[in-house]
Amino acid sequence: MKETEKKKELMMFLSGSEEKEHFLSSANRKILSDPLNDDNPITVQVLGICSALAITVQLKPAIVMSLAVVFVMAFSNVIISLLRNSIPGRIRIIVQLVVVASMVILVDQILKAYAYDVSKQLSIFIGLIITNCIIMGRLEAFALGNGPYKSLLDGIGNAAGYGLILIIIAFFRELLGSGKLLGYEVLGHKGLTLADSTGLYALGYQDNGFFLLSPMALIVVGIIIWVQRSKNRKLIEEN
């Protein structure tokens, strides 16, 4: 009886074609891994650039934003996939926005309750997850046409690919812009004089304030895109 009940629960979560596939089949692994490299939402699809500019001055907000997007995208994909056969086509965008907005409100309230300082740093950008083109794009292009399990993998994969780029940008901006990571001094202590300084600052190193400006985020994204296309030539678009 228990095995029968488990099988029924599994069939509710998997579509007919997914039942024939192993949970970690090559196709499912591809859905999960492609957005981390060859189909990255930011560096390949060039989506979600606004948040890459706005919340990557420090590493901590970038990590929190990445986790928030993973949560919102994964659960929104699953919910839309479960409802896909009962959503009228003409109001599907409205339904998607309602689902995403509900997930964002939940994330926002959790942050205000348990990480209020980060919530203040992220400010309106948490709310703007609702209009994130990556999330809406995956709901429209994938969740509406695939089962919940694949949609879950797609949501996690694309959100992780998005978050990975945010974290890389924030790492270099905070490190080179202020000499810190997660608020901790990693390049040494900057004193009033060289004698009072430690680490690289004692050798005359100065923080590059340009990294704290928004244009630097675009430059870092550009460098990441260049490195990625240098390693994988098939991503280079031909005129």
Side-chain angles (χ1 to χ4, degrees):
M1 288 295 292
K2 289 183 178 180
E3 291 183 2
T4 305
E5 290 177 2
K6 287 182 179 179
K7 189 174 181 180
K8 287 181 179 179
E9 291 176 1
L10 185 62
M11 290 175 65
M12 289 179 64
F13 195 66
L14 300 176
S15 67
S17 60
E18 289 173 336
E19 287 180 59
K20 301 174 184 177
E21 281 188 281
H22 189 272
F23 272 89
L24 295 177
S25 66
S26 58
N28 288 337
R29 291 199 302 271
K30 187 176 176 63
I31 292 173
L32 193 60
S33 63
D34 268 8
L36 295 173
N37 188 18
D38 293 349
D39 198 24
N40 188 274
I42 293 181
T43 61
V44 178
Q45 301 177 43
V46 196
L47 300 173
I49 298 294
C50 298
S51 49
L53 299 177
I55 50 95
T56 55
V57 176
Q58 294 181 327
L59 190 55
K60 187 176 181 180
I63 293 173
V64 173
M65 174 63 90
S66 301
L67 293 175
V69 172
V70 168
F71 176 86
V72 171
M73 188 179 289
F75 282 95
S76 296
N77 262 22
V78 170
I79 293 171
I80 292 298
S81 179
L82 289 169
L83 299 175
R84 69 188 186 280
N85 294 323
S86 57
I87 301 175
R90 61 189 176 189
I91 64 166
R92 69 184 189 282
I93 301 297
I94 298 174
V95 174
Q96 291 168 19
L97 284 172
V98 170
V99 171
V100 175
S102 301
M103 295 297 102
V104 170
I105 291 171
L106 181 58
V107 168
D108 187 43
Q109 293 303 308
I110 291 173
L111 285 178
K112 285 180 178 178
Y114 297 102
Y116 186 69
D117 57 332
V118 179
S119 177
K120 287 183 66 178
Q121 279 183 286
L122 292 174
S123 184
I124 62 170
F125 295 105
I126 286 292
L128 289 177
I129 293 176
I130 297 171
T131 57
N132 191 311
C133 47
I134 299 172
I135 297 177
M136 295 303 297
R138 297 321 298 169
L139 293 178
E140 185 74 9
F142 197 92
L144 282 175
N146 291 275
Y149 180 63
K150 285 184 180 292
S151 297
L152 175 66
L153 295 180
D154 181 77
I156 293 174
N158 278 275
Y162 164 86
L164 176 65
I165 301 301
L166 255 62
I167 290 170
I168 291 173
I169 296 170
F171 175 87
F172 287 107
R173 291 185 71 188
E174 184 175 6
L175 179 65
L176 301 177
S178 60
K180 300 178 180 179
L181 285 175
L182 296 174
Y184 296 100
E185 296 176 339
V186 296
L187 298 182
H189 173 70
K190 185 178 181 181
L192 296 176
T193 63
L194 289 178
D196 297 330
S197 303
T198 61
L200 292 181
Y201 296 110
L203 301 175
Y205 176 81
Q206 294 293 323
D207 294 328
N208 189 340
F210 186 43
F211 275 86
L212 302 178
L213 303 178
S214 295
M216 197 62 220
L218 280 178
I219 294 173
V220 176
V221 170
I223 293 172
I224 295 171
I225 291 173
W226 172 67
V227 171
Q228 187 179 33
R229 280 161 173 70
S230 296
K231 293 174 61 178
N232 191 348
R233 308 293 292 182
K234 70 179 183 181
L235 296 177
I236 298 176
E237 298 177 1
E238 296 182 3
N239 295 328

